[in-house]
Amino acid sequence: MQLAMETKSVDRRAGTRPVSMGPLFSPIGNPLAEMGSRLRFARNAEIYAEGDTADRFYKVISGTVRCCKILADGRRHISEFLFAGDFFGMEAASEHRYTAEAVGDAVVMVYQRNLVERLVERDLGFSRWLRAQVMDNLDRAYARMLSLGCKTACERVVSFLLDLVERTDCDEQIELPMSRYDIADYLGLTTETISREFSKLKHAAIIAVKGQGQRIEILDRQALSEMAATD
Amino acid sequence: MQLAMETKSVDRRAGTRPVSMGPLFSPIGNPLAEMGSRLRFARNAEIYAEGDTADRFYKVISGTVRCCKILADGRRHISEFLFAGDFFGMEAASEHRYTAEAVGDAVVMVYQRNLVERLVERDLGFSRWLRAQVMDNLDRAYARMLSLGCKTACERVVSFLLDLVERTDCDEQIELPMSRYDIADYLGLTTETISREFSKLKHAAIIAVKGQGQRIEILDRQALSEMAATD
DNA sequence: CGTATCATTGAAGCATTTCAACTATTGTGG
DNA sequence: CCACAATAGTTGAAATGCTTCAATGATACG
């Protein structure tokens, strides 16, 4: 695990975006705040590896993190992308089941697991909030399963874009932090298919793709919503 | 929600299989035991529907439960199968996101959500145990995502069988409680594909299929494990 | 005993993948 | 600062794994 310890100074970038602790837990008097260390990771740096002892847990301050797993024959699966404000690294087991990596340069807070667990037992509000956090993760996991289990390539890409808009608080301009490969492994498709689906949406004037394909503008949000195959 | 209230008498069938509360929570002096009601559901009966108020939660005593969702165009997705001892119906939101149905005849315990939540805040051991329960759900959800995201039809079917052997405590003889349709919607495949994959495994002498396809015997467990595409 | 339901099997179709070529952008050393 | 290599994205054509459509077989049920 390659890491660069930073000073515990206030993160200026984090300040540009309110990092909500959720409705059940006010960031004022946040009992976690004092317990963590700030770490900075370079693009593609490993935060922890599959099999590492899961004795800490993490919160994204800035940048994007991906959790992934590689099968014996090289197939890769990305279980989650995590954005500013998201927590990750909590495990049922004592070892991490997935590898966590910085997608671009990223800053994360690290908390000792046993400290967090002690806090959970002392602080009822924190305990409620943490449970809500885990339940949200579960909800997202079920939404992903639905995508992977019964949606077409087009529907998956559209759902992905809409989810991204919701989770990172951008409106119509999306700055994709991850590559087509990452998106492919996240959606259970190939880079080529992702590229083709983006092209189709572009030609249908539903989105506009700028730069090296990293900047996406949503031109017709309603059309996009109607293509997402919700229930 | 069609239901038939039962007396709170001891479940003779449940007694044939120890219903563990997990390593962190002893069934002796189980504080939940006094709080629930036993309900019996007929094959395919709805336990709760998507959109219903999520004010209770459930535990399978006997039989199998499926959680599913149907998209606007009729595509169905099964998010989970639940077996004796499994809990379900806990939600982050105030409404159920999935519909729960009995696969065959099933008996479940029902608990009032607010009673459970009160117990969580009073009883530290119960709280720990419930958190572990949710984390286990999360682990299973990630394993499913991996299956749906990057495994072939054959690998999914094999993983499904192995998972079934692990979760229901049968050894080599599996009594499939669900139809090929259910398995298909669970694995993101079609009935025909499930059938074909079973046939392939049968012809390779890895499994034997008996009866109306409901009874499966594992003949070569090692071969099966090698085909599951684990990491 | 006929009807309904579920499982199996075959053949054709199709969505996505695989393979391959090309383009655009980024970084690097002369 | 330019040339060149390396990396990422796009697009086309062929291949393929799974689905769809269709028919048949097996089991349960009134």
Side-chain angles (χ1 to χ4, degrees):
Chain A
M1 185 163 112
Q2 51 200 113
L3 40 79
M5 190 68 72
E6 279 204 350
T7 58
K8 286 195 188 180
S9 66
V10 176
D11 183 16
R12 280 168 300 282
R13 291 167 72 187
T16 62
R17 184 178 180 277
V19 178
S20 167
M21 297 280 284
L24 289 170
F25 201 76
S26 157
I28 295 119
N30 178 351
L32 266 184
E34 309 296 313
M35 295 170 39
S37 309
R38 275 172 54 87
L39 296 180
R40 178 175 293 278
F41 292 92
R43 179 174 136 87
N44 292 325
E46 184 179 289
I47 298 171
Y48 57 75
E50 189 184 339
D52 279 359
T53 307
D55 56 357
R56 9 182 141 184
F57 95 132
Y58 304 81
K59 174 180 165 182
V60 181
I61 300 300
S62 68
T64 303
V65 170
R66 66 172 169 256
C67 290
C68 62
K69 192 188 268 277
I70 297 181
L71 299 185
D73 61 354
R75 278 175 286 181
R76 186 181 66 152
H77 179 244
I78 294 182
S79 65
E80 272 203 287
F81 286 118
L82 300 146
F83 306 104
D86 290 338
F87 284 76
F88 65 104
M90 281 170 284
E91 301 275 348
S94 61
E95 291 186 357
H96 288 296
R97 295 226 198 291
Y98 284 81
T99 296
E101 297 164 339
V103 173
D105 293 356
V107 177
V108 305
M109 288 294 281
V110 192
Y111 308 93
Q112 290 303 317
R113 180 175 173 153
N114 53 16
L115 289 180
V116 171
E117 277 172 359
R118 229 173 293 160
L119 184 57
V120 161
E121 316 231 316
R122 270 207 325 270
D123 187 327
L124 204 57
F126 179 72
S127 160
R128 278 198 205 108
W129 168 84
L130 190 67
R131 190 163 39 250
Q133 206 69 24
V134 175
M135 295 299 279
D136 281 353
N137 272 341
L138 203 53
D139 270 5
R140 281 212 303 274
Y142 282 128
R144 293 281 315 290
M145 271 169 43
L146 186 69
S147 243
L148 296 170
C150 54
K151 292 191 188 179
T152 64
C154 178
E155 291 165 345
R156 290 185 211 183
V157 169
V158 168
S159 301
F160 172 72
L161 286 177
L162 290 172
D163 186 49
L164 216 58
V165 170
E166 251 185 56
R167 290 184 60 196
T168 67
D169 47 16
C170 54
D171 41 333
E172 261 69 52
Q173 293 281 354
I174 310 173
E175 184 68 38
L176 290 180
M178 70 293 280
S179 70
R180 298 288 188 266
Y181 280 93
D182 284 342
I183 300 174
D185 290 345
Y186 181 73
L187 296 179
L189 300 167
T190 59
T191 11
E192 293 94 331
T193 299
I194 303 296
S195 206
R196 276 186 254 271
E197 294 304 332
F198 275 137
S199 294
K200 276 188 214 164
L201 292 170
K202 194 172 69 181
H203 291 131
I206 292 171
I207 65 170
V209 182
K210 293 162 185 173
Q212 167 68 330
Q214 302 301 297
R215 203 169 1 268
I216 305 257
E217 185 178 359
I218 295 181
L219 303 174
D220 189 344
R221 177 100 175 236
Q222 176 158 14
L224 215 54
S225 296
E226 283 165 5
M227 293 170 80
T230 50
D231 47 283
Chain B
M1 187 164 113
Q2 52 201 111
L3 40 79
M5 191 68 73
E6 278 204 350
T7 58
K8 286 194 188 181
S9 66
V10 175
D11 183 15
R12 281 168 301 281
R13 291 166 72 188
T16 62
R17 183 181 181 275
V19 179
S20 167
M21 297 280 283
L24 287 169
F25 201 77
S26 156
I28 295 120
N30 176 353
L32 265 184
E34 308 297 313
M35 294 170 39
S37 309
R38 276 172 53 87
L39 296 180
R40 178 176 292 280
F41 293 92
R43 180 173 134 87
N44 292 324
E46 183 179 289
I47 298 170
Y48 57 75
E50 189 184 339
D52 279 359
T53 306
D55 56 357
R56 8 185 143 181
F57 95 132
Y58 304 82
K59 173 180 165 182
V60 181
I61 299 300
S62 68
T64 303
V65 169
R66 65 172 170 256
C67 290
C68 62
K69 193 190 266 278
I70 297 182
L71 298 186
D73 61 355
R75 276 175 287 182
R76 186 180 68 152
H77 179 244
I78 294 182
S79 65
E80 273 202 287
F81 287 118
L82 301 146
F83 306 104
D86 291 337
F87 284 76
F88 65 103
M90 281 170 284
E91 300 275 347
S94 61
E95 291 186 357
H96 288 296
R97 295 225 198 291
Y98 284 80
T99 296
E101 297 164 340
V103 172
D105 293 356
V107 176
V108 305
M109 287 295 280
V110 192
Y111 307 93
Q112 290 302 316
R113 178 175 173 154
N114 53 17
L115 289 180
V116 172
E117 277 171 359
R118 230 174 291 163
L119 184 58
V120 161
E121 316 230 316
R122 269 205 327 266
D123 187 327
L124 204 58
F126 179 72
S127 161
R128 278 196 205 108
W129 168 84
L130 191 65
R131 191 165 35 252
Q133 207 68 26
V134 174
M135 296 297 279
D136 281 353
N137 271 341
L138 204 53
D139 270 5
R140 281 212 303 275
Y142 283 128
R144 293 282 314 290
M145 271 168 43
L146 185 69
S147 242
L148 296 170
C150 54
K151 291 191 188 178
T152 64
C154 178
E155 290 165 345
R156 291 186 210 182
V157 169
V158 167
S159 302
F160 172 71
L161 286 178
L162 290 173
D163 186 50
L164 216 56
V165 170
E166 251 186 56
R167 291 184 59 196
T168 67
D169 47 16
C170 53
D171 41 331
E172 261 68 54
Q173 292 282 352
I174 309 173
E175 182 69 37
L176 290 179
M178 69 293 280
S179 70
R180 299 289 187 263
Y181 280 94
D182 284 341
I183 301 174
D185 289 346
Y186 181 72
L187 297 179
L189 300 167
T190 60
T191 10
E192 293 93 333
T193 299
I194 304 296
S195 208
R196 275 186 255 271
E197 294 303 333
F198 274 137
S199 294
K200 276 188 215 164
L201 292 171
K202 195 173 66 180
H203 291 131
I206 293 171
I207 65 170
V209 182
K210 293 163 183 171
Q212 166 69 329
Q214 302 302 295
R215 204 168 1 266
I216 305 256
E217 185 178 358
I218 296 181
L219 303 174
D220 190 344
R221 177 100 176 236
Q222 176 158 15
L224 216 54
S225 297
E226 283 165 6
M227 295 171 79
T230 50
D231 48 282

